[in-house]
Amino acid sequence: MGVARREQRAAPLLWAAVLAVALLAGARGGSEEGTAVYIVTMKQAAVSHKRLDLERVGSSSVAAAGGGGGGDNPATSILRKPRHASPESVNYGSLLVRLQNSLLKKTLRGEHYIKLYSYHYLINGFAVVLTPQQAEKLNRRKEVANIMLDFSVRTATTYTPEFLGLPEGAWVQDGGPQCAGQGVVVGLIDTGIDPNHPSFSDDLTADNYPVPAHYSGNCEVTSDFPSGSCNRKLVGARHFAASALTRGVFNASQDLASPSDSDGHGTHTASIAAGNHGIPVIVAGHHFGNASGMTPRAHIAVYKALYKGFGGFAADVVAAIDQAAEDNVDIISLSITPNRRPPGLATFFNPIDMALMSAVKDGIFVVQAAGNTGPSPKSMSSYSPWIFTVGASAHDREYYNYVVLGNNLTISGVGLAPGTDGDSMYNLIAAPHALQNYTTTPIEMSLGECQDPSHLDKDLIRGKILVCSYSIRFVLGLSSVKQALDTAKNVSAAGVIFYLDPFVLGFQLNPTPMDIPGLIIPSSDDSKIFLSYYNDSLVRDGTSDRVVNFGAVAKILGGLKPNYGSSAPKVMFYSARGPDPEDNTLANADILKPNVVAPGSSIWGAWSSRGLDSAEFTGESFAMLSGTSMAAPHIAGLAALIKQKFPSFSPAAIGSALSTTTTLSDREGKPIMSQRTYSNPDSTQTPATPFDMGNGFANATAALDPGLIFDCSYDDYISFLCGINGSAPVVANYTGNSCGTSTMTGADLNLPSITIAVLNQSRTITRTVTNIASDENYTVSCNAPYGVAVSTAPAQFFIPSGQKQLVTFIVNATMSNSSASFGDVEFYGDRGHRVVIPFTVMSKAV
């Protein structure tokens, strides 16, 4: 093991005080005189803003009208300034904390309150437990910019490196997996990490692997996260749960007041982003290949703010973001989304998104999961243009096994399991028909689900395939496949088959590890066919109606070997969709979401030894999960590869490289498809639009040579926010910036996409591209959306290396229509670069 980062003992006095308040609140029915957690922001600038404002050279004026990013200096716009903490910054941060404490004491003199967090690096503010009356007192203070209630949030591989082309492409450019990402720190805000997992070891190679000098974080030490848990790979680990504690929802034995992961989700996402290369995946005694993160040589810093029992709260997440930025991480990955659309003037104005905007100003690339609320339009849970939002797609590796019935029907299933022996057929017996003492109906639902062997007739079942119901109780965690497998082994069954209860809709069943022959039939229609064959084959006594012969037979064909298809990638039904909602009226924003899609379906990743999130993988060291939570860390890892190659890239430049180089077709060269329904999703898929997949499917190798970059600055984002009608006081409250006259909309931001929510007759849009490659000639081609005419100037241009080119699009509606239409703009370079951005127009009026 190498030398770890600084270790820091958890502060027992603070946690004792918070816990005491939580216990008091719980004893009084959950609140003390209606207390709640509030997030308060102050008007005085935070540390990062103060430092950057002093350092800025040649930046554009705040909130100036116009767009396209054309006013930035090409020599500085893509450069990210170093973020080393100076003594002046440390002293200024301490001053802010003292001023916060002074404000509370003066305003609430003699009253009871508890301050949970001081935010000082990205935002100047604090989280505090108050009554509504106390909150109103604070809100009247001239030093206070904004105050709002805390809110809840939720969580939203062996082969995906190959599917993304890393071993033969991006990794080769970086010197192979043993070099890919070294020196880059990926900060993950999630459920923690299992530090003992080999995916996070630093002793797999003997070569030089130092902790990056720019990283300044600590490793928290607790009884379940002991000294030595961090190393040169896992360089920092902290946890944040003060808001959860005050609510009385924190279960210390389950949630763990430490960076240790008792859920599994955080360990999984960390390994996808930056887990070590070549780690054997052995589950249920079967070997499924070797795992690797997207950037296996990058470093990991963990900021635990989500928990198994309740998810998380914004106050804790903002504290984690603030700490990650102060620690100088390079990338922040959040596989979390809010539980509801943020209230107020616009979705962008919420504490998490505003803290992340400050992180972007500080040079940190921010990745967030789109959410698992698809496939409905406007189901997006990640809103802001400074956040890189990732949807979930399938990749081309699938695990299927099959049951062959005695009537020669074959039904596909999911199960990481062996098959039955040879070609022999085995009698089927459903658990309700195998109860002891000839009982005809199960006493409890769990018996039909094969959760309790004590009521089953072992002699009757021995050598047969046990049939079990897969009900909603499995989804809720009340029943488990693992327990059913234990039951089957206890009664000497030859295997087990689960049929799907008709009430289990809209839930994707991942292949589940089984150490005996078995499978789950994931389709309700196929389950009906299976049950019909089984019931029709039963022979019953004419008098007692008791089953006297089980005539149905079957064999199980194993699912331990993957199948590789050519119809991937495709957008998964659960992946949240655009258009991006600007506010709670569901008005459309001029911003494309998601930005891209990445693998998120059936993803292998490391699993915590304490992990409880998926009962089927309890006790395993790897798990297969699905969701946009799995897609986001893929992009975080790819971003680390770009950061390694282009260390001076701004966050917007990294996002541009990922966006303009995507793949728009599947392995057969056909358009990427998008699933449209929860049930039988493959039968309803149609070609994906930008509202499904953003710019397309991430292409890791191409992203390392994008040719042209669309850059965007913090000042541009401020101008965009100032352009929202009535936003000036909100912008000032959150950022301290004063809004001048701004007419900028999302369509005017220099994003690698063009999105117009409402086109009234005609509009002019500009984009500024920066050449990061050698001198090149480009031709611009625009495929106009339906109902729109577009003229482009210039249609051709020569751009020297390091220089910028302004491109103007005059957009005219040719028909009145409220349906969204899609096109694209393609920049063809004579040195082989091809840069593509989607062009979307929603409502049109001539």
Side-chain angles (χ1 to χ4, degrees):
M1 273 305 163
V3 177
R5 298 302 297 167
R6 291 191 300 274
E7 295 184 331
Q8 183 177 49
R9 296 278 174 185
L13 293 179
L14 171 62
W15 286 104
V18 174
L19 184 57
V21 171
L23 293 173
L24 178 63
R28 297 184 180 181
S31 66
E32 182 185 354
E33 300 177 359
T35 58
V37 178
Y38 290 85
I39 300 174
V40 181
T41 50
M42 307 279 282
K43 290 181 179 177
Q44 191 166 345
V47 171
S48 64
H49 292 260
K50 184 79 169 179
R51 176 179 58 78
L52 288 169
D53 287 344
L54 292 173
E55 292 175 350
R56 295 169 75 188
V57 177
S59 62
S60 59
S61 60
V62 174
D72 291 339
N73 186 322
T76 61
S77 63
I78 296 182
L79 293 179
R80 194 203 78 184
K81 298 181 184 300
R83 294 180 286 113
H84 298 292
S86 64
E88 292 80 6
S89 296
V90 173
N91 292 336
Y92 181 66
S94 299
L95 171 63
L96 294 182
V97 174
R98 290 197 301 271
L99 291 175
Q100 295 168 11
N101 294 338
S102 176
L103 172 70
L104 282 167
K105 289 178 181 178
K106 287 188 295 185
T107 308
L108 306 176
R109 189 181 305 276
E111 298 182 41
H112 179 71
Y113 63 89
I114 182 166
K115 185 183 181 187
L116 304 178
Y117 293 112
S118 283
Y119 311 131
H120 62 273
Y121 189 76
L122 294 178
I123 61 174
N124 175 17
F126 51 89
V128 60
V129 180
L130 301 170
T131 66
Q133 295 77 18
Q134 291 173 321
E136 181 58 31
K137 286 182 183 180
L138 274 179
N139 201 32
R140 290 197 294 264
R141 296 288 304 206
K142 64 180 180 180
E143 303 95 328
V144 172
N146 189 54
I147 183 168
M148 72 173 296
L149 280 168
D150 193 12
F151 57 89
S152 59
V153 297
R154 61 188 171 195
T155 56
T157 73
T158 59
Y159 178 69
T160 47
E162 283 80 2
F163 186 61
L164 289 165
L166 292 171
E168 303 302 323
W171 284 353
V172 172
Q173 295 186 35
D174 286 333
Q178 68 274 16
C179 299
Q182 184 163 333
V184 180
V185 180
V186 180
L188 295 109
I189 298 173
D190 215 297
T191 65
I193 196 166
D194 182 350
N196 299 313
H197 198 284
S199 290
F200 314 120
S201 172
D202 70 348
D203 60 0
L204 299 183
T205 59
D207 59 345
N208 187 34
Y209 185 44
V211 174
H214 69 273
Y215 182 73
S216 60
N218 294 318
C219 189
E220 185 179 324
V221 174
T222 68
S223 60
D224 49 39
F225 204 83
S227 176
S229 293
C230 290
N231 53 40
R232 295 173 298 166
K233 177 73 172 178
L234 176 58
V235 294
R238 302 280 291 270
H239 91 286
F240 304 84
S243 181
L245 276 165
T246 64
R247 300 164 186 268
V249 298
F250 192 92
N251 182 334
S253 63
Q254 173 181 285
D255 298 313
L256 303 181
S258 79
S260 185
D261 183 11
S262 63
D263 180 281
H265 188 272
T267 300
H268 198 272
T269 57
S271 71
I272 293 171
N276 286 325
H277 178 70
I279 307 301
V281 178
I282 299 175
V283 175
H286 310 302
H287 184 217
F288 292 98
N290 296 325
S292 175
M294 299 301 102
T295 176
R297 200 64 168 170
H299 308 266
I300 294 169
V302 168
Y303 301 86
K304 178 179 174 180
L306 295 171
Y307 298 85
K308 166 62 180 173
F310 53 87
F313 297 97
D316 297 325
V317 172
V318 171
I321 294 169
D322 197 59
Q323 187 63 58
E326 186 173 9
D327 292 346
N328 290 327
V329 302
D330 298 292
I331 294 161
I332 290 177
S333 179
L334 301 100
S335 288
I336 61 174
T337 57
N339 279 325
R340 59 183 174 86
R341 190 169 287 116
L345 184 66
T347 51
F348 323 114
F349 294 118
N350 68 81
I352 292 177
D353 283 33
M354 298 309 291
L356 291 172
M357 187 171 76
S358 292
V360 168
K361 181 182 182 182
D362 208 38
I364 301 169
F365 182 71
V366 176
V367 187
Q368 186 178 25
N372 298 333
T373 48
S376 299
K378 300 186 185 181
S379 53
M380 184 58 53
S381 297
S382 175
Y383 314 104
S384 298
W386 50 87
I387 298 172
F388 200 83
T389 303
V390 187
S393 70
H395 52 91
D396 64 347
R397 182 201 62 202
E398 297 177 306
Y399 291 91
Y400 285 114
N401 52 2
Y402 303 88
V403 55
V404 179
L405 303 178
N407 59 2
N408 291 322
L409 281 177
T410 298
I411 296 175
S412 63
V414 292
L416 301 170
T420 49
D421 291 337
D423 290 328
S424 301
M425 303 293 280
Y426 296 81
N427 288 103
L428 301 173
I429 182 168
H433 297 146
L435 301 179
Q436 293 177 359
N437 302 320
Y438 309 112
T439 308
T440 57
T441 57
I443 302 168
E444 299 176 0
M445 183 183 295
S446 62
L447 296 180
E449 298 165 353
C450 305
Q451 298 299 292
D452 183 1
S454 64
H455 295 280
L456 298 179
D457 188 329
K458 183 174 182 178
D459 292 333
L460 189 60
I461 298 172
R462 182 180 289 109
K464 299 182 177 70
I465 295 175
L466 183 62
V467 177
C468 312
S469 168
Y470 191 100
S471 76
I472 193 66
R473 290 166 52 87
F474 285 81
V475 179
L476 298 175
L478 302 176
S479 296
S480 74
V481 170
K482 182 159 286 193
Q483 182 57 48
L485 294 174
D486 288 342
T487 295
K489 287 182 285 187
N490 189 281
V491 297
S492 301
V496 61
I497 293 173
F498 298 87
Y499 64 88
L500 195 66
D501 186 286
F503 292 104
V504 182
L505 294 175
F507 183 79
Q508 184 184 18
L509 296 176
N510 287 319
T512 301
M514 304 182 190
D515 54 2
I516 63 172
L519 84 167
I520 306 171
I521 301 174
S523 161
S524 57
D525 290 340
D526 286 344
S527 293
K528 291 176 183 176
I529 294 171
F530 172 80
L531 286 175
S532 176
Y533 165 70
Y534 173 80
N535 288 321
D536 290 347
S537 302
L538 295 174
V539 178
R540 297 180 179 273
D541 181 270
T543 304
S544 65
D545 201 40
R546 172 188 162 198
V547 177
V548 294
N549 186 44
F550 298 92
V553 294
K555 63 179 178 181
I556 298 172
L557 304 182
L560 296 177
K561 294 183 178 180
N563 301 296
Y564 296 94
S566 55
S567 60
K570 61 185 173 187
V571 182
M572 301 307 294
F573 68 89
Y574 52 78
S575 186
R577 306 301 212 268
D580 187 17
E582 182 170 290
D583 53 38
N584 274 313
T585 69
L586 296 182
N588 297 318
D590 294 325
I591 295 165
L592 181 63
K593 293 289 180 178
N595 294 89
V596 298
V597 292
S601 179
S602 299
I603 304 299
W604 281 117
W607 196 242
S608 173
S609 58
R610 300 173 180 262
L612 299 173
D613 185 51
S614 178
E616 321 313 341
F617 292 97
T618 299
E620 303 288 355
S621 59
F622 281 86
M624 179 180 283
L625 302 181
S626 295
T628 56
S629 282
M630 285 63 252
H634 277 89
I635 296 301
L638 300 187
L641 297 177
I642 297 173
K643 185 67 182 174
Q644 183 185 28
K645 183 175 181 180
F646 300 102
S648 62
F649 263 21
S650 71
I654 295 174
S656 175
L658 287 163
S659 298
T660 62
T661 56
T662 56
T663 298
L664 299 175
S665 56
D666 65 16
R667 286 295 181 90
E668 293 182 331
K670 299 177 181 178
I672 292 175
M673 304 297 281
S674 178
Q675 297 177 336
R676 300 294 177 193
T677 57
Y678 284 102
S679 57
N680 298 319
D682 280 342
S683 66
T684 60
Q685 60 187 14
T686 59
T689 74
F691 290 157
D692 304 313
M693 64 176 178
N695 283 56
F697 182 77
N699 183 330
T701 302
L704 292 176
D705 184 23
L708 301 177
I709 287 295
F710 295 76
D711 201 17
C712 202
S713 71
Y714 174 82
D715 287 349
D716 293 329
Y717 297 134
I718 291 293
S719 295
F720 156 68
L721 293 176
C722 286
I724 298 172
N725 189 32
S727 66
V730 186
V731 172
N733 287 346
Y734 269 114
T735 69
N737 292 104
S738 298
C739 285
T741 301
S742 176
T743 57
M744 180 182 279
T745 70
D748 298 314
L749 284 169
N750 200 46
L751 302 175
S753 60
I754 298 174
T755 306
I756 302 174
V758 178
L759 176 62
N760 287 320
Q761 298 182 352
S762 180
R763 182 164 182 182
T764 299
I765 300 291
T766 63
R767 288 293 183 267
T768 299
V769 294
T770 304
N771 185 11
I772 62 141
S774 57
D775 300 355
E776 195 160 3
N777 291 289
Y778 278 91
T779 300
V780 185
S781 174
C782 182
N783 300 307
Y786 178 70
V788 173
V790 181
S791 62
T792 305
Q796 294 180 324
F797 59 86
F798 169 76
I799 183 168
S801 177
Q803 297 303 304
K804 293 191 170 190
Q805 173 68 51
L806 179 71
V807 182
T808 301
F809 305 92
I810 299 176
V811 188
N812 291 285
T814 59
M815 63 185 300
S816 295
N817 192 305
S818 60
S819 298
S821 52
F822 308 97
D824 60 44
V825 180
E826 301 180 4
F827 297 78
Y828 293 96
D830 62 0
R831 291 182 175 271
H833 291 107
R834 179 173 179 262
V835 177
V836 182
I837 64 172
F839 197 141
T840 303
V841 180
M842 288 172 257
S843 177
K844 317 167 212 34
V846 296

